[in-house]
């Protein structure tokens, strides 16, 4: 067991206090959109209603009125209604009729996850902070409020955060946001307090279909590989893992997903990158501009004499 | 049946101005990549103080360099005014920055660490050190007190002037916002040019024409670099740079180019002989520099609200084979393998 899948600060900075890296595997193929995770998260973490006293807001976009992750939403169940005309190619070289037949096969195997009658299907996915291996929010935080825990997760220390807001546009997933009446930034802690007591996070415990699975990250990855194989063997070839490898732009997610469409169909970026990966180039360009500024002003002072 | 009023809420802010879209949608109109056109990224939470700070920080940094050089050249008239401008800029900057914090009383938490991975942390230390050294140099220049500390302050402030005038470009470039991150090689030069123009303009307006030669040169040179670097940035950004051609960022950018060019021309042609031309030119260049910073600031918000600007370049990287992206379609021992985008993403949006 162990300290596999290391990050910059974990396990190295914890010595003997380091614990196995924890994470989520969210298998959206069994998500039923019940939103128990959203409720459990709000209850346990005492997260206020969205936008304080603002009245209820209805998007008219399927059953998704939560809209996105933010300071007051640490789990967000995305509902995506996809309408397909019957003759539209679904991109896998299949007509929809063929796809429907395949899906019928999947159903007979006990794998049906959504309605597909009348050319419509629902995608449901419980989104959450990805707890990136290379977390841009943590890297850019100027106070050290965002830190890497002994479980390898990324947490905001609310007694340190001064609300500078840098992490908000730094996150490639748009996870973090400022709480308006409070001024600080809030996000999923992977239930840091529960982890310290060897309890699983509230959302995972509340999930009735085991769509949200919690555990040691290396074990979760193995489990996800098996699940992907099972689904593709059953003919559900849209299935894919998102964030399950170290090679992506954020070095792998601590909370990764099994999806049934491209990430952008769930409002997720297909190639998220930790912006600080390019920081060397940014600093070099800035240094060059600083030198140019001094050189230019020197020329001005020399040229503007008399 | 009435919809909730959105004009004053955060939800409305998400996708630019509320007038641009229907009241029931939080998405970006015309977006093709995400369902309902919802953005992938969050817009920054920064408010009007930040573009003001971009200006005052640039003003302070470039003024310190200009003043130090003028000192060395035996031009105390220019040097003293340069230090005053630097002091004003370095004094206003922290006020803007602290006012923008969600918890202003916790400003000092910035000083509990120095993180090289955070341009904001590095910049806070640069600004703090600049403020102290500029104050020392200004006191010496105006009163003659503390000559040794003042001389040291002058040198330190000049050395930090370059970083102070340009690090804010690194700060915004080090985010996930496409229009900022993809401009990371040009933005520092936009900000450097703008800083030189700001400092030159203020000194031109305030210094007797006889001693203001270097300031006029700095104004004109800075303005040329500012406009040229902006042009280059917009060109290289391609479709991701669209925010610079529409909405507030587009209008501010146009105003910036027009005013900066006109002001620099006035100073170059008539600034030496005509006091009125020098003053008008300096005012135009100052306004142009402020508009330029505001245009860059606003472009970031507009860019974040456009999901296609986030998704399409990422998808193109994958298509080109530069990266595999974050998706894997096979188990390690499996057979199915394709990372190509499914055209269904576009198709199922009708």
């Amino acid at each position: 067991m162990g300290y596999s899948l290391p990050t910059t600060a974990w396990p190295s900075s914890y010595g003997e206090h380091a614990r196995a890296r924890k994470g989520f595997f969210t298998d959206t193929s069994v998500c039923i959109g019940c939103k128990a995770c959203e409720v459990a998260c709000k209850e346990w973490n005492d997260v206020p209603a969205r936008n304080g006293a603002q009245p209820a807001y209805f998007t008219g976009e399927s059953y998704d009125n939560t809209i996105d992750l933010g300071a007051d939403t640490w789990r967000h169940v995305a509902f995506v209604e996809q309408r397909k005309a019957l003759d539209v190619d679904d991109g896998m070289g299949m007509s929809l009729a063929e796809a429907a037949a395949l899906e019928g096969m999947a159903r007979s195997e006990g794998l049906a996850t959504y309605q597909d009658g009348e050319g419509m299907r629902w995608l449901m996915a419980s989104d959450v902070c990805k707890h990136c291996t290379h977390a841009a929010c943590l890297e850019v935080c100027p106070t050290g409020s965002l830190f890497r825990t002994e479980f390898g997760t990324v947490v905001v220390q609310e007694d340190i955060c001064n609300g500078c807001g840098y992490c908000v546009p730094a996150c490639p997933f748009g996870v973090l946001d400022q709480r308006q009446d409070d001024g600080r930034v809030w996000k999923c802690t992977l239930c840091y307090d529960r982890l310290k007591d060897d309890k699983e996070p509230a959302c995972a415990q509340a999930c009735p279909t085991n769509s949200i699975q919690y555990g040691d990250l290396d074990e979760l990855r193995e489990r996800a590989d098996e699940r992907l194989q099972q689904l593709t063997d059953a003919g559900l070839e849209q299935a894919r893992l998102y964030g399950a490898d170290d090679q992506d732009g954020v070095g792998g997610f601590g909370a990764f997903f099994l999806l049934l469409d491209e990430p952008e169909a769930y409002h997720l970026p297909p190639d998220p990158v930790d912006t600080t990966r390019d920081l060397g180039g940014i600093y070099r360009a800035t240094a060059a501009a600083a030198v140019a500024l001094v050189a230019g002003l020197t020329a001005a002072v020399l040229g503007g004499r008399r | 049946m009435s919809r909730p009023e959105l004009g004053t809420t955060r939800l409305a802010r998400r996708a630019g101005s509320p007038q641009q879209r229907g009241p029931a949608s939080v998405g970006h109109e015309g977006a093709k990549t995400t369902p309902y056109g919802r953005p992938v990224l969050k817009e920054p939470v920064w408010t009007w103080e930040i573009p003001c700070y971009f200006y005052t920080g640039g003003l302070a940094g470039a003024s310190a360099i200009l003043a130090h050089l003028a000192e060395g050249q035996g031009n105390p008239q220019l040097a003293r005014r340069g230090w005053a401008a630097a002091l004003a800029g370095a004094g206003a900057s922290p006020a803007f920055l602290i006012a923008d914090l969600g918890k202003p009383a916790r400003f000092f938490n910035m000083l509990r660490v120095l993180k090289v991975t955070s341009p904001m942390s590095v910049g806070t230390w640069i600004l703090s050190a600049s403020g102290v050294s500029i104050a020392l140099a200004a006191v010496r220049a105006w009163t003659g007190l503390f000559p040794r500390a003042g001389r040291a302050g002058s040198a330190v402030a000049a050395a930090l002037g370059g970083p102070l005038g340009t690090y804010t470009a690194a700060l915004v470039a080090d985010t996930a916002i496409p229009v900022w991150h993809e401009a990371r090689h040009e933005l520092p030069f936009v900000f450097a040019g703008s800083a030189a123009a700001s400092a030159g303009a203020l000194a031109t307006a305030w210094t007797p024409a006889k001693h203001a030669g270097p300031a006029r040169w700095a104004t004109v040179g800075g303005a040329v670099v500012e406009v040229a670097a902006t042009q280059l940035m917009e060109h290289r950004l391609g479709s991701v740079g669209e925010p610079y051609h529409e909405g507030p960022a587009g209008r501010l950018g146009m105003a910036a180019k027009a005013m900066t060019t006109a002001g620099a021309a006035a100073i170059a042609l008539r600034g030496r002989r005509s006091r009125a031309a020098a003053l008008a030119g300096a005012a135009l260049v100052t306004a142009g520099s402020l508009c330029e910073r505001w245009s860059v600031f606003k472009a970031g918000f507009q860019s974040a609200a456009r999901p296609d600007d986030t998704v399409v370049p990422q998808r193109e990287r994958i298509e080109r084979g530069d990266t595999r992206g974050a998706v894997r379609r096979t188990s390690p021992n499996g057979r199915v393998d394709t990372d190509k985008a499914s055209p269904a993403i576009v198709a199922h949006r009708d």
Side-chain angles (χ1 to χ4, degrees):
Chain A
M1 98 126 213
Y3 302 144
S4 55
L5 316 172
T7 74
T8 312
W10 177 95
S12 53
S13 61
Y14 281 99
E16 65 192 44
H17 299 293
R19 308 277 300 272
R21 187 166 174 198
K22 300 293 187 184
F24 287 128
F25 165 43
T26 305
D27 177 358
T28 71
S29 70
V30 289
C31 178
I32 56 171
C34 69
K35 306 194 191 189
C37 50
E38 284 190 19
V39 175
C41 174
K42 287 228 179 201
E43 291 265 334
W44 179 262
N45 293 299
D46 204 14
V47 178
R50 192 183 179 102
N51 296 318
Q54 200 201 336
Y57 177 76
F58 294 99
T59 59
E61 292 165 355
S62 193
Y63 289 87
D64 189 349
N65 298 309
T66 310
I67 303 173
D68 58 4
L69 294 172
D72 300 335
T73 310
W74 301 354
R75 271 274 180 194
H76 161 227
V77 178
F79 276 72
V80 178
E81 279 178 37
Q82 296 184 331
R83 284 175 212 283
K84 299 188 188 187
L86 279 171
D87 55 346
V88 163
D89 185 280
D90 77 341
M92 312 284 291
M94 278 185 290
S95 74
L96 196 77
E98 287 170 309
L102 255 181
E103 281 157 13
M105 201 172 87
R107 187 179 297 113
S108 69
E109 298 285 322
L111 296 168
T113 59
Y114 48 74
Q115 304 175 3
D116 61 340
E118 300 180 352
M120 206 275 288
R121 73 165 176 169
W122 268 339
L123 297 176
M124 294 162 228
S126 181
D127 195 11
V128 70
C129 170
K130 315 302 177 288
H131 295 275
C132 305
T133 300
H134 304 303
C137 59
L138 189 159
E139 301 289 344
V140 304
C141 174
T143 63
S145 168
L146 273 152
F147 79 114
R148 182 78 59 181
T149 71
E150 66 269 38
F151 302 99
T153 55
V154 180
V155 172
V156 187
Q157 301 175 84
E158 297 302 346
D159 53 343
I160 302 292
C161 176
N162 67 6
C164 78
Y166 200 0
C167 52
V168 176
C171 173
F173 304 96
V175 166
L176 296 103
D177 207 355
Q178 199 174 34
R179 191 173 287 169
Q180 273 186 312
D181 52 355
D182 171 282
R184 290 173 290 176
V185 155
W186 300 78
K187 75 166 190 76
C188 164
T189 67
L190 215 122
C191 283
Y192 189 29
D193 51 346
R194 294 170 67 100
L195 262 57
K196 281 175 177 271
D197 278 343
D198 294 321
K199 302 274 192 298
E200 69 178 327
C203 57
Q205 186 168 343
C207 180
T209 64
N210 227 9
S211 169
I212 301 174
Q213 300 176 33
Y214 160 79
D216 291 359
L217 190 55
D218 44 5
E219 283 175 30
L220 289 176
R221 284 190 178 183
E222 282 169 28
R223 212 184 295 174
D225 281 332
E226 282 167 26
R227 176 65 177 158
L228 179 65
Q229 192 62 58
Q230 189 186 6
L231 288 174
T232 47
D233 284 350
L236 199 74
E237 296 191 350
Q238 309 100 309
R240 69 208 74 191
L241 297 180
Y242 177 57
D245 300 288
D246 298 338
Q247 47 74 36
D248 65 36
V250 297
F253 306 180
F256 65 101
F257 301 82
L258 185 145
L259 304 177
L260 298 177
D261 202 336
E262 294 293 354
E264 50 267 47
Y266 300 83
H267 332 106
L268 294 166
D271 183 30
V273 169
D274 165 20
T275 178
T276 57
R277 194 177 74 174
D278 298 320
L279 192 55
I282 293 173
Y283 275 145
R284 274 194 295 279
T286 307
V291 169
L293 178 59
V294 173
L297 289 173
T298 307
V301 168
L302 294 177
R305 191 163 24 190
R306 343 175 265 118
Chain B
M1 197 179 85
S2 69
R3 296 282 185 192
E5 178 54 51
L6 285 173
T8 56
T9 68
R10 185 66 196 284
L11 286 172
R13 229 160 57 68
R14 277 284 142 66
S17 72
Q19 300 94 313
Q20 285 177 331
R21 48 189 177 69
S25 170
V26 292
H28 186 263
E29 255 181 32
K32 289 191 170 52
T33 50
T34 60
Y36 316 121
R38 275 186 214 154
V40 172
L41 304 175
K42 287 281 184 298
E43 287 178 31
V45 294
W46 298 323
T47 47
W48 60 273
E49 296 93 341
I50 297 303
C52 289
Y53 164 62
F54 290 169
Y55 170 79
T56 57
L59 174 73
S63 292
I65 301 169
L66 191 62
H68 178 76
L69 292 171
E71 251 170 20
Q73 208 196 23
N75 185 347
Q77 289 85 354
L78 180 60
R80 277 171 36 195
R81 288 168 175 85
W83 286 123
L87 188 61
S93 295
F96 284 130
L97 288 180
I98 293 169
D100 183 67
L101 291 178
K103 291 270 184 209
R106 291 190 182 177
F107 165 73
F108 288 108
N109 283 2
M110 295 279 193
L111 303 176
R112 65 190 283 279
V113 285
L114 167 60
K115 281 173 75 175
V116 185
T117 57
S118 170
M120 189 183 284
S121 173
V122 175
T124 302
W125 287 101
I126 292 174
L127 178 61
S128 305
S130 290
V132 173
S133 47
I134 286 171
L136 288 171
V139 165
R140 168 175 170 258
W142 283 89
T143 68
L145 293 173
F146 311 117
R148 288 183 59 178
R151 261 195 297 278
S154 173
V156 172
L160 291 174
L164 178 60
T166 53
Y167 92 83
T168 42
L171 193 157
V172 296
D174 190 27
T175 63
I177 310 259
V179 81
W180 287 344
H181 189 78
E182 299 309 322
R184 57 191 179 274
H185 299 299
E186 295 85 22
L187 259 185
F189 291 91
V190 174
F191 279 28
S194 186
S198 314
L202 204 62
T204 301
W206 196 21
T207 311
K210 191 164 70 155
H211 305 290
R216 287 191 295 272
W217 280 56
T219 312
V220 176
V224 169
V225 171
E226 179 186 332
V227 172
T230 305
Q231 208 66 31
L232 181 69
M233 173 178 78
E234 288 173 16
H235 173 72
R236 286 205 190 154
L237 279 172
S239 64
V240 167
E242 216 140 278
Y244 284 117
H245 304 291
E246 60 179 48
R251 286 193 292 276
L252 285 160
M254 262 191 354
K257 269 175 215 156
M259 291 194 286
T260 302
T261 310
I267 288 177
L269 297 173
R270 307 273 307 154
R272 194 170 141 85
R273 276 159 294 167
S274 161
R275 182 86 192 121
L279 278 176
L284 280 170
V285 169
T286 299
S289 181
L290 257 171
C291 284
E292 178 58 36
R293 308 305 187 109
W294 225 289
S295 169
V296 170
F297 177 71
K298 280 288 180 190
F301 288 70
Q302 291 170 226
S303 182
R306 297 160 54 99
D308 294 356
D309 289 9
T310 306
V311 170
V312 171
Q314 296 186 9
R315 187 48 75 191
E316 284 171 355
R317 292 203 288 266
I318 296 169
E319 298 280 319
R320 278 200 308 268
D322 296 352
T323 170
R324 257 190 48 191
V327 166
R328 173 158 58 79
R329 303 182 71 136
T330 60
S331 297
N333 53 346
R335 316 165 309 278
V336 193
D337 192 15
T338 165
D339 291 312
K340 295 298 179 206
S342 156
I345 303 159
V346 177
H348 61 59
R349 279 189 53 77
D350 304 328

